[in-house]
Amino acid sequence: MEERSIEKIGHPYIPNSHPAVQKEMLKEIGVASIDELIDKVIPRELQYRGPLNLPKPLLSEYELRRHVEGILSKNRTCGDYLCFLGGGTWPHYVPAICDEIASRGEFLTAYAGEPYEDHGRWQALFEYESLMAELLDMDVVSVPIYSWGHAAGTSLRMASRITGRKEVLVVDTISPERRRIIENYLEPHVKIRWLKHDPSSGFVDLEDLKNKISEKIAAVYFENPSYLGFIEPQGKEISDIAHEKGSLVVVGVDPSSLGILEPPSHYGADIVCGELQPLGNHMNFGGGLAGFVATRDEEKFVKEIPYRIFGIAHTVVPGEYGFGDVAFERTSFMVRETPGESKEFVGTATALWGIVAGVYLALMGPRGMRELGETIVKRVRYAIHKLSQLPGVKVPKFNAPHFKEFVVDFNSTGMKVKEINEKLLKKGIIGGIDLSKNFPELGEAALYCVTEIHTREDIDRLYESLAEILEVS
Amino acid sequence: MGVVRLRKNFHQAKWDEPIIFEMSREGERGILVPSVDAEIERVAGDALSTIPENMRRKEKPNLPEVAQVRVLRHYLRLSQQTLGVDVNIDIGQGTCTMKYSPKINEMLVRSPKVTELHPYQPEETVQGALEIIYRLDHMLRALSGFSRFVFQPGGGSHALYTMASIIYKYHQVKGNDHKDEIITTLLSHPSDAATAKLKGFKVIDIPPDPETGLPDMEAFEAAVSERTAGMIICNPEDTEIFNPRIKEMTSLVHEVGGICAYDQANANGLLGYVRAIDLGFDLGFYNLHKTFSSPHGCGGPGLGAVGATKELESFLPVPVVDYDSSQDRYYLNYELPNTIGKVREFYGVFPVVQRAYSWLMSLGDEGVREVARIAILNNNYVMSRILKEVRGADISFPKTRYRVGQVRYSFKKLADETGVTVEDVIRRMTDFGFHLWTSHHPWIVPEPFTIEPTESYSKEDLDEYIEGLKTIAQEAYENPDKVKNAPYNGVIHRIEDMSFFEDPARWAPTWRVYLRKHRGEGVRK
């Protein structure tokens, strides 16, 4: 038998990793050794007994911590640098209470418990749904899913199932990341046709929409604010054009804008999706994402949501609330594969970050969300004002109202965004997203993001740094 | 010997906590946003006027107004009314590998060196994060034999969808238009079937052989044909009987040009002892939030790391992380010629990657195998005792005596003899601080329950849990109503009418809908 030094030490994460207890348990089972037991459950010829060559373990917590911290020390954060990146993950302030609740061991380590012993989890997620419902002014919100991109894919597939139509119109200004997700997600059932934007304002080209809309179109999808930062003001017109042909309207929205911007339900959206990361979740290198899907309380819409929806009910004790799954039969947990069209799937996604988003909205309240929107719009306006004083810089590129992002056009500066960003980095600043690859028609342009965390000094520092870089060139 | 005692005097925290909207008091504030500098104020002026009138929100959202300490208290109370692994012997949520999530790993992911990273930062500023992704990829390669792993999928089902997408794309690239079927088994996770369906495949579910519980080989052989695009299955399935004929199955699928994808949700008892590549799989995933100790978070964020052989590597979602030794630099590589594109924005849930990395670093070769060994030991110990001592409990497919890391049991006998169902037992378990779960649907095993002890629980923990089952089974025979009317010591009592969740006229998926349908109130305050 192989020598197992770990059993002499005893591993702190594995209580039964010591021989005395193993002996007792083996006796109960009626086998002589764990190896014998392994041979009974996995045929020997299918076992692998060679070396795995994993790194030498760091058994003490201290050694492990030193090691991991050593690697992490190579990271420079958006706190070390002054960062103007957005584009799907945004630097917002995360209230301390959000971190406190996210790190509660009970929420952190619970999973799929029943409405009884996990009552708190069910209530927290029901409240998340209910708080988002108010922000969106829509009746039904599901338990969150992986990300905005996935939620958009689902919303479009839902629209296809509801209308029985197989094509969707998607505006071509959406995030390049989301574009690739949606393309893969809709294949092979739903065909995407791309909708042009007006090159001057960035808005949906209504003429193009009118040309392409038809009774074959399940849904029209646009985003507000758009990936490129501008606010799309034609929501009502787009919805009217779509609805006239019996198409649905799906809108992707950044919820941090909804204290000041009309929710899409007010201009005709039938299904709304978006991203929860701005609501109290850290950026986490892009791992802080959680998508939401919302719709009306109509059976034909609700029945097409593939995700879990937690609903409230009464218990046998008057005044006591209980929770449960609304229309559970619609999910792939109940129906493995639907006889007709695919109704997608459900599984582990991002529940904890939904709970955090709920905490965030409860903290912010109606005034907080309004003030968040106001303060961002003011800072953005200030940033635009400052940066437009730079020689050769056009900002914003699009002649439109903006929320927290805007495109800076560097084409007349004679410098490439890549070069500018490299020079900014040397000054301790991470510049905006280089759009030259994904939006080649914009040439040398960058997407800048300003939120409530950016002070006047930060914006002035960006301005001064850019001024130096552009003048030197 | 440790003490084993059923917690007969247990009572879960019961705060009778209102819904957050019921706590609202006009004027209260939870948090303030940063104030605007006077110069910004001056330049920006009435910034809201830049937004077209039709796009300006007229009424504030109807969110509650609650002071900070009240929000904190509310959510802390809700957390206390939740049973996570940290506070209970969580072996009753079978298939979910409810193991201990080490606190040091949690502390490390809360570092600003993790939380405050933006995915589009220049690569030279995120070398530490890229290094961890790269290192974990190589560790998973060692465990599975695959050539490359990606971390974009956010859970097991998402990983299954990713694998179904790769199978779809593979045949598209090969021009195999005739390949439109995916074979799975009825005892594999429902998402194995659902995600294949999503990618347009016809799904063939192989039923278990009623004797052995293993996939019916005759039915499987009949299902494999030129139309077979691939196979997506668990092994072991949720019955946790390892399939000794798995290599025959992968060979048959390969013979007709199909792809074999491995749902490794049940990998805990196999770690270090079974490599996907040796069984003939081309694709496979590991759940980092289950098998690799990242906590489950009430249902995520999780991560299903998808691995592929050399032949299929080019189909993985982009980007992957590579290392340039000449410059000692990690970088994002988007150049995979056949990539399916993306399944999630950016590179996956980085904190989960980091926790899994830390966990493997605390184990090494021997430790990883110790996880599997003890998971198997614990499971067979629990099974042996349940079969001997818990009245009315049986094991599914009793012909196979030993199981890997979990067992699907049945309370059919108990239900037949006492009228007490497994759902009743589950509610009663709450009264002793336990959690128990049934199985995925369809219930091939009647009155099912699934126990997966993992490596994280001591013998005394396991004994205490078994004591709970024994006590309740005995109660079922002596006083069935006691079990049927449970729970008594939980947070809430039995839900009055389950049709509340099925009837569109009555269901209440949000508070506003509840107020309207059940309190006759309008939408707004």
Side-chain angles (χ1 to χ4, degrees), chain A residues 142-159:
Chain A
S142 74
V143 172
I145 190 63
Y146 312 111
S147 67
W148 181 346
H150 195 90
T154 277
S155 303
L156 292 170
R157 273 190 175 259
M158 279 173 62

Side-chain angles (χ1 to χ4, degrees), chain A residues 45-257:
Chain A
E45 66 276 14
L46 297 179
Q47 287 178 29
Y48 176 75
R49 294 272 179 163
L52 299 166
N53 296 321
L54 292 175
K56 186 177 165 294
L58 304 169
L59 292 173
S60 78
E61 191 168 303
Y62 176 70
E63 289 167 280
L64 178 69
R65 178 173 167 173
R66 278 292 287 266
H67 167 76
V68 176
E69 284 179 344
I71 300 177
L72 290 178
S73 71
K74 298 172 194 171
N75 291 337
R76 295 290 170 270
T77 71
C78 290
D80 300 328
Y81 286 94
L82 175 55
C83 174
F84 292 95
L85 293 168
T89 287
W90 302 270
H92 283 285
Y93 181 68
V94 173
I97 306 277
C98 290
D99 280 337
E100 177 70 23
I101 299 305
S103 55
R104 284 297 290 192
E106 301 92 331
F107 282 146
L108 187 67
T109 64
Y111 193 27
E114 306 297 320
Y116 296 95
E117 84 285 352
D118 267 1
H119 178 79
R121 159 187 180 254
W122 287 76
Q123 181 164 340
L125 283 163
F126 172 78
E127 289 184 354
Y128 151 76
E129 294 170 352
S130 301
L131 290 158
M132 279 301 288
E134 296 304 335
L135 191 65
L136 297 164
D137 202 5
M138 237 172 179
D139 281 347
V140 180
V141 179
S142 74
V143 172
I145 190 63
Y146 312 111
S147 67
W148 181 346
H150 195 90
T154 277
S155 303
L156 292 170
R157 273 190 175 259
M158 279 173 62
S160 169
R161 291 193 297 272
I162 292 166
T163 59
R165 301 175 182 185
K166 302 291 173 204
E167 289 178 28
V168 291
L169 288 177
V170 179
V171 70
D172 62 4
T173 51
I174 72 165
S175 132
E177 302 253 354
R178 281 197 286 283
R179 174 189 275 247
R180 299 191 83 171
I181 295 165
I182 295 169
E183 281 172 342
N184 188 55
Y185 199 68
L186 298 196
E187 176 81 17
H189 296 119
V190 183
K191 187 167 177 264
I192 302 172
R193 297 184 64 197
W194 295 96
L195 200 52
K196 287 189 205 148
H197 66 278
D198 177 83
S200 155
S201 64
F203 303 157
V204 169
D205 180 336
L206 292 182
E207 283 312 306
D208 195 45
L209 172 60
K210 283 177 195 159
N211 289 336
K212 289 176 178 160
I213 194 80
S214 75
E215 269 136 29
K216 285 186 181 161
I217 303 294
V220 176
Y221 176 72
F222 64 97
E223 297 177 345
N224 221 350
S226 71
Y227 172 72
L228 298 173
F230 58 83
I231 296 163
E232 170 60 75
Q234 310 171 114
K236 174 95 173 41
E237 289 87 333
I238 296 166
S239 298
D240 287 348
I241 294 167
H243 287 154
E244 199 179 316
K245 297 287 182 192
S247 311
L248 298 178
V249 175
V250 179
V251 179
V253 70
D254 172 352
S256 68
S257 70

